[in-house]
Amino acid sequence: MMKNFNWKNPAMLLLAAFIWGSAFVAQSVGMDYVEPLTFNCVRSIVGGIVLLPCIYLLGKLKSPEEREEAARMDKKTLLAGGISCGVILCLASNAQQIGIQYTSVGKAGFITALYIVIVPILGIFLKRRCGWKVWLSVLIALVGFYLLCMVGGFSLERGDLWLLMCALLFSFHILTIDHFSPMVDGVKMSCIQFFTCGLLSGIAMLVTETPDVHRILAAWGPILYAGVLSSGVAYTLQIVGQKNYNPTVATLLLSLESVFSVLTGWAVLHQKLSARELCGCVLIFIAVILAQLPDKNE
């Protein structure tokens, strides 16, 4: 029985979750040197550049049949998908980057993970039925979000609002990818989305910020980690890891990025959460897990 155990797919997905979770630390440290739009502009362009050799190598590894299928794919659809995802990614990642300035790495990771609960709710408008577990997970997540973020009564801290907006935007990003990915090459679409995100972030950067080459070079470590590992490597791991693997289990494993964000924030930045905030984190993580469990008839 052990010899039939598939360890490669979950190992790749867990590594992707770890990279994304630990990237919150890089994003937080990066704010000590550069402004949010500058960070995301450079990070996204680096991510797009990293995927170029990945596209070449993956193309070489394809069988003749797979190459024929790739050649038949509509390039207009690929471009439309990449640009659409890039626009939403630009809004989502910059909302996240701004929010990280005002809160801890752990809180940022857990609030961002709310997209896994938001996605099935948005699916209602796309005629996708939600079971009782989804609604229960929404209720649990709302309680957890209150414990984690509400301070001084019914009020939200500035960073929490930005991150909640980020979670909503990432939900639209996931649904957009879900729409386009069956029709196009996922890695190529990702490459286009990163260059789109980098271009739009760069335009906004020039209008609202004062980028400094010396400060960008000083932030080379966080930028390269977020660009190369979080964008390039982790995305490729997700693509390969999800191939021929149960999508529900895959999403469950990837959602562990929120746990890794807390652990790396504690280990690297020595950030701590209060007992109340930890309870909120636990409830949100339970909601994230519950929302992904399949029904008996699935």
PDB file of all heavy atoms in Angstrom, residues 272-294:
ATOM      1  N   LYS A 272       4.341  38.470  17.505  1.00  0.00           N
ATOM      2  CA  LYS A 272       3.486  37.636  18.354  1.00  0.00           C
ATOM      3  C   LYS A 272       2.032  38.073  18.234  1.00  0.00           C
ATOM      4  O   LYS A 272       1.732  39.230  17.998  1.00  0.00           O
ATOM      5  CB  LYS A 272       3.936  37.726  19.814  1.00  0.00           C
ATOM      6  CG  LYS A 272       5.338  37.160  20.067  1.00  0.00           C
ATOM      7  CD  LYS A 272       5.711  37.250  21.535  1.00  0.00           C
ATOM      8  CE  LYS A 272       7.105  36.683  21.785  1.00  0.00           C
ATOM      9  NZ  LYS A 272       7.497  36.774  23.215  1.00  0.00           N
ATOM     10  N   LEU A 273       1.146  37.093  18.410  1.00  0.00           N
ATOM     11  CA  LEU A 273      -0.290  37.362  18.418  1.00  0.00           C
ATOM     12  C   LEU A 273      -0.823  37.158  19.833  1.00  0.00           C
ATOM     13  O   LEU A 273      -0.354  36.289  20.557  1.00  0.00           O
ATOM     14  CB  LEU A 273      -1.021  36.425  17.448  1.00  0.00           C
ATOM     15  CG  LEU A 273      -0.657  36.550  15.955  1.00  0.00           C
ATOM     16  CD1 LEU A 273      -1.382  35.485  15.160  1.00  0.00           C
ATOM     17  CD2 LEU A 273      -0.986  37.921  15.428  1.00  0.00           C
ATOM     18  N   SER A 274      -1.813  37.966  20.206  1.00  0.00           N
ATOM     19  CA  SER A 274      -2.436  37.806  21.514  1.00  0.00           C
ATOM     20  C   SER A 274      -3.287  36.542  21.518  1.00  0.00           C
ATOM     21  O   SER A 274      -3.549  35.945  20.463  1.00  0.00           O
ATOM     22  CB  SER A 274      -3.313  39.025  21.824  1.00  0.00           C
ATOM     23  OG  SER A 274      -4.423  39.070  20.938  1.00  0.00           O
ATOM     24  N   ALA A 275      -3.750  36.131  22.704  1.00  0.00           N
ATOM     25  CA  ALA A 275      -4.592  34.937  22.820  1.00  0.00           C
ATOM     26  C   ALA A 275      -5.867  35.106  22.004  1.00  0.00           C
ATOM     27  O   ALA A 275      -6.326  34.170  21.327  1.00  0.00           O
ATOM     28  CB  ALA A 275      -4.926  34.670  24.284  1.00  0.00           C
ATOM     29  N   ARG A 276      -6.446  36.302  22.039  1.00  0.00           N
ATOM     30  CA  ARG A 276      -7.665  36.592  21.267  1.00  0.00           C
ATOM     31  C   ARG A 276      -7.394  36.463  19.773  1.00  0.00           C
ATOM     32  O   ARG A 276      -8.178  35.849  19.036  1.00  0.00           O
ATOM     33  CB  ARG A 276      -8.135  38.008  21.608  1.00  0.00           C
ATOM     34  CG  ARG A 276      -9.292  38.532  20.749  1.00  0.00           C
ATOM     35  CD  ARG A 276      -9.458  40.026  21.010  1.00  0.00           C
ATOM     36  NE  ARG A 276     -10.385  40.618  20.070  1.00  0.00           N
ATOM     37  CZ  ARG A 276     -11.648  40.901  20.336  1.00  0.00           C
ATOM     38  NH1 ARG A 276     -12.139  40.631  21.529  1.00  0.00           N
ATOM     39  NH2 ARG A 276     -12.425  41.460  19.440  1.00  0.00           N
ATOM     40  N   GLU A 277      -6.268  37.029  19.319  1.00  0.00           N
ATOM     41  CA  GLU A 277      -5.937  36.970  17.904  1.00  0.00           C
ATOM     42  C   GLU A 277      -5.617  35.541  17.461  1.00  0.00           C
ATOM     43  O   GLU A 277      -5.970  35.122  16.353  1.00  0.00           O
ATOM     44  CB  GLU A 277      -4.757  37.898  17.616  1.00  0.00           C
ATOM     45  CG  GLU A 277      -5.115  39.373  17.721  1.00  0.00           C
ATOM     46  CD  GLU A 277      -3.895  40.271  17.654  1.00  0.00           C
ATOM     47  OE1 GLU A 277      -2.810  39.839  18.104  1.00  0.00           O
ATOM     48  OE2 GLU A 277      -4.029  41.402  17.159  1.00  0.00           O
ATOM     49  N   LEU A 278      -4.965  34.770  18.333  1.00  0.00           N
ATOM     50  CA  LEU A 278      -4.688  33.369  18.015  1.00  0.00           C
ATOM     51  C   LEU A 278      -5.976  32.568  17.864  1.00  0.00           C
ATOM     52  O   LEU A 278      -6.093  31.719  16.973  1.00  0.00           O
ATOM     53  CB  LEU A 278      -3.802  32.746  19.103  1.00  0.00           C
ATOM     54  CG  LEU A 278      -2.314  33.099  19.057  1.00  0.00           C
ATOM     55  CD1 LEU A 278      -1.612  32.599  20.307  1.00  0.00           C
ATOM     56  CD2 LEU A 278      -1.661  32.516  17.803  1.00  0.00           C
ATOM     57  N   CYS A 279      -6.961  32.832  18.736  1.00  0.00           N
ATOM     58  CA  CYS A 279      -8.268  32.169  18.619  1.00  0.00           C
ATOM     59  C   CYS A 279      -8.919  32.508  17.285  1.00  0.00           C
ATOM     60  O   CYS A 279      -9.510  31.646  16.631  1.00  0.00           O
ATOM     61  CB  CYS A 279      -9.183  32.596  19.767  1.00  0.00           C
ATOM     62  SG  CYS A 279      -8.734  31.888  21.361  1.00  0.00           S
ATOM     63  N   GLY A 280      -8.788  33.786  16.884  1.00  0.00           N
ATOM     64  CA  GLY A 280      -9.325  34.194  15.589  1.00  0.00           C
ATOM     65  C   GLY A 280      -8.653  33.458  14.445  1.00  0.00           C
ATOM     66  O   GLY A 280      -9.314  33.010  13.504  1.00  0.00           O
ATOM     67  N   CYS A 281      -7.329  33.304  14.525  1.00  0.00           N
ATOM     68  CA  CYS A 281      -6.582  32.575  13.504  1.00  0.00           C
ATOM     69  C   CYS A 281      -7.045  31.128  13.412  1.00  0.00           C
ATOM     70  O   CYS A 281      -7.240  30.592  12.314  1.00  0.00           O
ATOM     71  CB  CYS A 281      -5.087  32.619  13.828  1.00  0.00           C
ATOM     72  SG  CYS A 281      -4.296  34.201  13.521  1.00  0.00           S
ATOM     73  N   VAL A 282      -7.213  30.493  14.562  1.00  0.00           N
ATOM     74  CA  VAL A 282      -7.640  29.095  14.599  1.00  0.00           C
ATOM     75  C   VAL A 282      -9.016  28.941  13.957  1.00  0.00           C
ATOM     76  O   VAL A 282      -9.247  28.028  13.155  1.00  0.00           O
ATOM     77  CB  VAL A 282      -7.654  28.565  16.050  1.00  0.00           C
ATOM     78  CG1 VAL A 282      -8.317  27.188  16.107  1.00  0.00           C
ATOM     79  CG2 VAL A 282      -6.239  28.484  16.602  1.00  0.00           C
ATOM     80  N   LEU A 283      -9.951  29.839  14.296  1.00  0.00           N
ATOM     81  CA  LEU A 283     -11.303  29.761  13.740  1.00  0.00           C
ATOM     82  C   LEU A 283     -11.301  29.982  12.230  1.00  0.00           C
ATOM     83  O   LEU A 283     -12.005  29.286  11.489  1.00  0.00           O
ATOM     84  CB  LEU A 283     -12.214  30.793  14.418  1.00  0.00           C
ATOM     85  CG  LEU A 283     -12.634  30.468  15.855  1.00  0.00           C
ATOM     86  CD1 LEU A 283     -13.428  31.616  16.451  1.00  0.00           C
ATOM     87  CD2 LEU A 283     -13.465  29.179  15.900  1.00  0.00           C
ATOM     88  N   ILE A 284     -10.506  30.947  11.767  1.00  0.00           N
ATOM     89  CA  ILE A 284     -10.437  31.200  10.323  1.00  0.00           C
ATOM     90  C   ILE A 284      -9.851  29.988   9.602  1.00  0.00           C
ATOM     91  O   ILE A 284     -10.335  29.584   8.542  1.00  0.00           O
ATOM     92  CB  ILE A 284      -9.607  32.462  10.030  1.00  0.00           C
ATOM     93  CG1 ILE A 284     -10.349  33.706  10.537  1.00  0.00           C
ATOM     94  CG2 ILE A 284      -9.334  32.606   8.540  1.00  0.00           C
ATOM     95  CD1 ILE A 284      -9.548  34.983  10.445  1.00  0.00           C
ATOM     96  N   PHE A 285      -8.818  29.373  10.191  1.00  0.00           N
ATOM     97  CA  PHE A 285      -8.214  28.204   9.553  1.00  0.00           C
ATOM     98  C   PHE A 285      -9.199  27.039   9.527  1.00  0.00           C
ATOM     99  O   PHE A 285      -9.282  26.310   8.534  1.00  0.00           O
ATOM    100  CB  PHE A 285      -6.931  27.805  10.283  1.00  0.00           C
ATOM    101  CG  PHE A 285      -6.174  26.720   9.577  1.00  0.00           C
ATOM    102  CD1 PHE A 285      -5.645  26.937   8.319  1.00  0.00           C
ATOM    103  CD2 PHE A 285      -5.991  25.474  10.157  1.00  0.00           C
ATOM    104  CE1 PHE A 285      -4.949  25.945   7.650  1.00  0.00           C
ATOM    105  CE2 PHE A 285      -5.295  24.478   9.504  1.00  0.00           C
ATOM    106  CZ  PHE A 285      -4.770  24.714   8.244  1.00  0.00           C
ATOM    107  N   ILE A 286      -9.976  26.861  10.591  1.00  0.00           N
ATOM    108  CA  ILE A 286     -11.012  25.817  10.610  1.00  0.00           C
ATOM    109  C   ILE A 286     -12.026  26.065   9.498  1.00  0.00           C
ATOM    110  O   ILE A 286     -12.453  25.140   8.798  1.00  0.00           O
ATOM    111  CB  ILE A 286     -11.714  25.770  11.985  1.00  0.00           C
ATOM    112  CG1 ILE A 286     -10.757  25.214  13.048  1.00  0.00           C
ATOM    113  CG2 ILE A 286     -12.988  24.924  11.917  1.00  0.00           C
ATOM    114  CD1 ILE A 286     -11.293  25.303  14.460  1.00  0.00           C
ATOM    115  N   ALA A 287     -12.408  27.339   9.323  1.00  0.00           N
ATOM    116  CA  ALA A 287     -13.357  27.691   8.269  1.00  0.00           C
ATOM    117  C   ALA A 287     -12.789  27.392   6.889  1.00  0.00           C
ATOM    118  O   ALA A 287     -13.481  26.873   6.005  1.00  0.00           O
ATOM    119  CB  ALA A 287     -13.718  29.175   8.377  1.00  0.00           C
ATOM    120  N   VAL A 288     -11.505  27.708   6.698  1.00  0.00           N
ATOM    121  CA  VAL A 288     -10.837  27.451   5.427  1.00  0.00           C
ATOM    122  C   VAL A 288     -10.821  25.953   5.119  1.00  0.00           C
ATOM    123  O   VAL A 288     -11.104  25.521   3.994  1.00  0.00           O
ATOM    124  CB  VAL A 288      -9.397  28.011   5.475  1.00  0.00           C
ATOM    125  CG1 VAL A 288      -8.561  27.456   4.334  1.00  0.00           C
ATOM    126  CG2 VAL A 288      -9.408  29.530   5.422  1.00  0.00           C
ATOM    127  N   ILE A 289     -10.512  25.146   6.129  1.00  0.00           N
ATOM    128  CA  ILE A 289     -10.484  23.686   5.952  1.00  0.00           C
ATOM    129  C   ILE A 289     -11.887  23.155   5.669  1.00  0.00           C
ATOM    130  O   ILE A 289     -12.103  22.380   4.730  1.00  0.00           O
ATOM    131  CB  ILE A 289      -9.924  22.995   7.216  1.00  0.00           C
ATOM    132  CG1 ILE A 289      -8.493  23.449   7.506  1.00  0.00           C
ATOM    133  CG2 ILE A 289      -9.986  21.482   7.067  1.00  0.00           C
ATOM    134  CD1 ILE A 289      -7.499  23.114   6.438  1.00  0.00           C
ATOM    135  N   LEU A 290     -12.875  23.587   6.474  1.00  0.00           N
ATOM    136  CA  LEU A 290     -14.239  23.093   6.343  1.00  0.00           C
ATOM    137  C   LEU A 290     -14.831  23.405   4.976  1.00  0.00           C
ATOM    138  O   LEU A 290     -15.530  22.583   4.384  1.00  0.00           O
ATOM    139  CB  LEU A 290     -15.121  23.708   7.441  1.00  0.00           C
ATOM    140  CG  LEU A 290     -16.584  23.260   7.498  1.00  0.00           C
ATOM    141  CD1 LEU A 290     -16.679  21.756   7.732  1.00  0.00           C
ATOM    142  CD2 LEU A 290     -17.330  24.021   8.599  1.00  0.00           C
ATOM    143  N   ALA A 291     -14.507  24.581   4.431  1.00  0.00           N
ATOM    144  CA  ALA A 291     -15.049  24.980   3.149  1.00  0.00           C
ATOM    145  C   ALA A 291     -14.559  24.103   2.003  1.00  0.00           C
ATOM    146  O   ALA A 291     -15.207  24.008   0.959  1.00  0.00           O
ATOM    147  CB  ALA A 291     -14.681  26.439   2.861  1.00  0.00           C
ATOM    148  N   GLN A 292     -13.431  23.430   2.202  1.00  0.00           N
ATOM    149  CA  GLN A 292     -12.837  22.629   1.133  1.00  0.00           C
ATOM    150  C   GLN A 292     -13.147  21.140   1.244  1.00  0.00           C
ATOM    151  O   GLN A 292     -12.817  20.377   0.331  1.00  0.00           O
ATOM    152  CB  GLN A 292     -11.316  22.816   1.115  1.00  0.00           C
ATOM    153  CG  GLN A 292     -10.884  24.257   0.847  1.00  0.00           C
ATOM    154  CD  GLN A 292     -11.479  24.785  -0.434  1.00  0.00           C
ATOM    155  OE1 GLN A 292     -11.379  24.161  -1.473  1.00  0.00           O
ATOM    156  NE2 GLN A 292     -12.105  25.950  -0.375  1.00  0.00           N
ATOM    157  N   LEU A 293     -13.754  20.705   2.349  1.00  0.00           N
ATOM    158  CA  LEU A 293     -14.055  19.273   2.495  1.00  0.00           C
ATOM    159  C   LEU A 293     -15.167  18.852   1.544  1.00  0.00           C
ATOM    160  O   LEU A 293     -16.206  19.514   1.467  1.00  0.00           O
ATOM    161  CB  LEU A 293     -14.468  18.976   3.948  1.00  0.00           C
ATOM    162  CG  LEU A 293     -13.374  19.156   5.001  1.00  0.00           C
ATOM    163  CD1 LEU A 293     -13.954  18.874   6.386  1.00  0.00           C
ATOM    164  CD2 LEU A 293     -12.195  18.233   4.738  1.00  0.00           C
ATOM    165  N   PRO A 294     -14.973  17.763   0.815  1.00  0.00           N
ATOM    166  CA  PRO A 294     -16.004  17.330  -0.148  1.00  0.00           C
ATOM    167  C   PRO A 294     -17.204  16.708   0.548  1.00  0.00           C
ATOM    168  O   PRO A 294     -17.087  16.168   1.660  1.00  0.00           O
ATOM    169  CB  PRO A 294     -15.261  16.285  -0.986  1.00  0.00           C
ATOM    170  CG  PRO A 294     -14.218  15.736  -0.073  1.00  0.00           C
ATOM    171  CD  PRO A 294     -13.807  16.879   0.812  1.00  0.00           C
TER     172      PRO A 294
END
